[in-house]
Amino acid sequence: MSRTSKDPELASRLSRRNVLGVAAGATAATLLSGAAAQATSPQGGKAPGHGHGHGHGKGRAVLPPGRLGIQLYSLRDKVSTLGFAPVFAELEKYGYDEIEFAGYTQGSAGAITLAQLKRLAKDHGLNPIGSHVGYYDDNNPGAYTFAQNLTKVLDEAEALGLKHIGTASGPFRYGSTVDGWKRAAEDFNTYGAAARKRGMKFYQHNHAEEFSFATDKPKVRLYDVLLAETDPDLVYLEMDIYWAFCAQFRFGKRADGTPAPFNPIDYVLKQPDRYPLFHVKDGTRDDSVRDGYRMTDVGDGDIDYKNFLSRVTARTQRGRTYHHWQTEHDNPVESLAFARKSSEHLHSLREGRCGG
């Protein structure tokens, strides 16, 4: 099943080849001052995340300290023109703790090795937490995907010191039937077992379509098949909260019109161990568009992140804090401004009436 024509984000992700080649060097830093002037934190110095008080009112911060990341796909325009070094410098200013890769070059200029990229992240206080790699490209044996080049994918993730390695591709390799998704789940279990041997967790990042219904059993939600058929010790999930809410809008009814409501957070609260990673992206509610939302900067939309983060952290606060929150916007108007605003908003959220 091909969904690339309907989902621009998915199309771009599936078409990217995460092969090492050119990347950014610090020499591009001189270009940054003009391009990032609008996005520079007005407070100056170390930005939002590192002084968690920040005058945002009383109450406990709902964002766990040290767990704010960003999916670098959101910053691909700046990485490709300026390079990783100046982008990482800005993320450090904005209070980010972690980064999630969308390929290890993103079209940037200048050569860089994985070791250099790892060091560059460390130098800016950024923990490389994960990376998105394609699931399969059965027409290309040399594709940089889990199905075609599992060993290379894991070798490079291990070289970067990643704790998680995953895919943003949907489990549609064998179609949209229950048996097709069971076969995909077997693939994922295989990748998860291989990743576990390297000390990593394999994960899948959802779009809206994962919550659609099986073509052969229209009462069965495909996402439920994925959860049931994958080993919870081998396969983890990165919930893209925005796309999950879009799915709630799109697939809250079955094809015959009968209600099939669900709340994305219920999946997390039921199995919090399975969701080490989240994508935090926002949307303005608009029932006139296919997805029910129009993507916007974090904090400018209608998704209640104070509630979402509070409930998830409350559910797990008695144990270890293992969730990582990655901001993202597929096509931000100004990507560095998006990164700054998102960090400021999430750090400002407080439990109780003073929060957010």
Side-chain angles (χ1 to χ4, degrees):
M1 175 181 175
S2 175
R3 298 177 298 140
T4 55
S5 61
K6 297 181 180 180
D7 191 334
E9 180 193 21
L10 183 63
S12 65
R13 290 190 189 282
L14 292 178
S15 66
R16 287 199 306 269
R17 291 292 171 262
N18 302 341
V19 183
L20 287 177
V22 293
T27 54
T30 55
L31 301 175
L32 183 65
S33 56
Q38 297 178 33
T40 302
S41 176
Q43 293 92 342
K46 200 71 173 177
H50 296 266
H52 293 288
H54 241 20
H56 290 294
K58 299 178 181 179
R60 185 177 69 87
V62 301
L63 180 69
R67 295 299 175 115
L68 179 64
I70 188 168
Q71 165 52 257
L72 292 173
Y73 181 72
S74 305
L75 298 167
R76 61 194 181 278
D77 63 325
K78 295 297 188 291
V79 173
S80 65
T81 55
L82 304 176
F84 282 108
V87 170
F88 286 0
E90 291 302 296
L91 294 178
E92 183 181 17
K93 289 180 185 178
Y94 303 161
Y96 281 92
D97 311 294
E98 300 174 337
I99 48 174
E100 183 183 33
F101 289 103
Y104 308 132
T105 64
Q106 294 192 236
S108 54
I112 192 169
T113 66
L114 287 175
Q116 290 169 332
L117 188 56
K118 181 181 180 182
R119 169 60 64 179
L120 188 62
K122 183 178 181 181
D123 288 345
H124 290 289
L126 299 170
N127 178 32
I129 195 64
S131 180
H132 284 188
V133 177
Y135 167 20
Y136 68 95
D137 184 348
D138 292 334
N139 296 319
N140 179 11
Y144 192 81
T145 61
F146 284 96
Q148 276 68 44
N149 279 290
L150 178 61
T151 298
K152 184 177 182 182
V153 167
L154 296 180
D155 283 347
E156 296 188 347
E158 191 172 18
L160 276 168
L162 301 182
K163 298 292 192 298
H164 309 82
I165 181 69
T167 185
S169 304
F172 291 92
R173 185 182 189 186
Y174 310 108
S176 301
T177 64
V178 171
D179 284 342
W181 273 53
K182 287 182 177 181
R183 289 183 64 190
E186 290 177 7
D187 287 348
F188 284 8
N189 286 332
T190 298
Y191 310 151
R196 186 176 181 177
K197 290 179 180 178
R198 310 278 195 113
M200 292 179 282
K201 292 180 178 179
F202 170 81
Y203 64 96
Q204 195 267 344
H205 163 285
N206 64 275
H207 293 82
E209 286 79 7
E210 281 85 340
F211 294 89
S212 63
F213 298 95
T215 52
D216 58 333
K217 296 182 179 180
K219 292 186 178 181
V220 176
R221 195 180 299 279
L222 288 171
Y223 195 72
D224 295 335
V225 178
L226 177 66
L227 287 170
E229 297 295 330
T230 50
D231 186 332
D233 292 325
L234 300 178
V235 177
Y236 297 84
L237 292 307
E238 176 179 63
M239 178 174 281
D240 186 304
I241 300 167
Y242 170 84
W243 287 121
F245 274 97
C246 292
Q248 182 188 49
F249 175 80
R250 291 178 59 188
F251 304 114
K253 292 182 179 180
R254 300 183 181 90
D256 63 3
T258 58
F262 74 94
N263 191 332
I265 200 170
D266 289 341
Y267 281 101
V268 180
L269 298 181
K270 184 177 181 180
Q271 300 186 69
D273 290 14
R274 296 205 73 178
Y275 292 87
L277 304 171
F278 292 90
H279 271 193
V280 179
K281 57 172 57 154
D282 211 343
T284 302
R285 186 64 187 259
D286 184 348
D287 290 3
S288 71
V289 297
R290 182 197 67 167
D291 292 321
Y293 291 86
R294 294 183 183 275
M295 196 177 297
T296 188
D297 289 353
V298 177
D300 290 346
D302 295 316
I303 297 178
D304 187 351
Y305 275 110
K306 185 174 75 168
N307 176 65
F308 198 100
L309 269 75
S310 295
R311 293 183 66 188
V312 171
T313 54
R315 172 69 173 80
T316 59
Q317 64 185 356
R318 283 177 285 184
R320 57 194 176 91
T321 303
Y322 43 71
H323 297 113
H324 304 263
W325 306 88
Q326 319 291 312
T327 66
E328 187 183 33
H329 191 311
D330 294 355
N331 293 290
V333 174
E334 213 300 317
S335 59
L336 287 172
F338 157 76
R340 175 182 54 78
K341 286 170 56 180
S342 299
S343 176
E344 289 181 346
H345 176 72
L346 293 173
H347 281 111
S348 77
L349 297 178
R350 295 289 186 274
E351 288 187 333
R353 58 188 178 87
C354 294

